């Protein structure tokens, strides 16, 4: 008895191409959204891709712990230096938040 085939006969390539792999390389998918009159590239990052790294969310000014799924967003016309890491909920609520984060007097400034 021969083993079961999981792929149809004559399947063209054995894996995704380099172009298809870019969106999934970091564990998520990438899209383009319009916000504040600009086009933003938005990449969803899986927690496993963020292992060992922490980021500060610009939406809530809190830390995104290591290994937590989150969103990376940047204006399309800008470079790597303008990427920001957001909590998913903060990115989804960005239009409902105030433009300036209010901190207490003794809170550290980052």
């Amino acid at each position: 008895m021969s083993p079961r085939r999981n792929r149809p006969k004559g399947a063209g390539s054995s894996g995704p191409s380099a172009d298809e792999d870019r969106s999934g390389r970091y564990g998520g998918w990438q899209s383009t959204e319009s916000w504040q009159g600009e086009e933003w590239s938005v990449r969803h990052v899986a927690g496993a891709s963020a292992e060992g790294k922490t980021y500060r969310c610009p939406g809530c000014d809190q830390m995104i712990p290591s290994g937590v799924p989150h969103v990376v967003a940047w204006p399309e016309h800008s470079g790597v230096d303008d990427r920001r890491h957001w909590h998913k909920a903060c990115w989804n609520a960005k239009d409902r938040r105030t433009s300036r984060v209010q901190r207490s007097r003794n809170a550290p400034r980052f």
Side-chain angles (χ1 to χ4, degrees), residues 25-94:
R25 172 177 281 166
Y26 300 104
W29 50 272
Q30 186 170 333
S31 63
T32 303
E33 294 184 25
S34 184
W35 181 49
Q36 293 182 340
E38 291 186 84
E39 293 297 315
W40 288 69
S41 294
V42 180
R43 178 175 289 154
H44 294 260
V45 179
S49 299
E51 197 66 41
K53 304 171 196 164
T54 58
Y55 304 100
R56 182 161 299 275
C57 174
C60 65
D61 202 33
Q62 299 295 313
M63 296 303 289
I64 300 173
S66 172
V68 172
H70 61 279
V71 173
V72 180
W74 64 97
E76 278 198 343
H77 62 79
S78 65
V80 175
D81 293 335
D82 291 328
R83 289 185 301 185
R84 296 294 174 256
H85 296 254
W86 296 69
H87 292 106
K88 287 183 181 185
C90 293
W91 177 255
N92 292 335
K94 64 191 174 297

Side-chain angles (χ1 to χ4, degrees), residues 56 61 103-110:
R56 182 161 299 275
D61 202 33
R103 296 182 184 91
S104 67
R105 290 168 116 183
N106 298 327
R109 304 240 179 226
F110 292 99

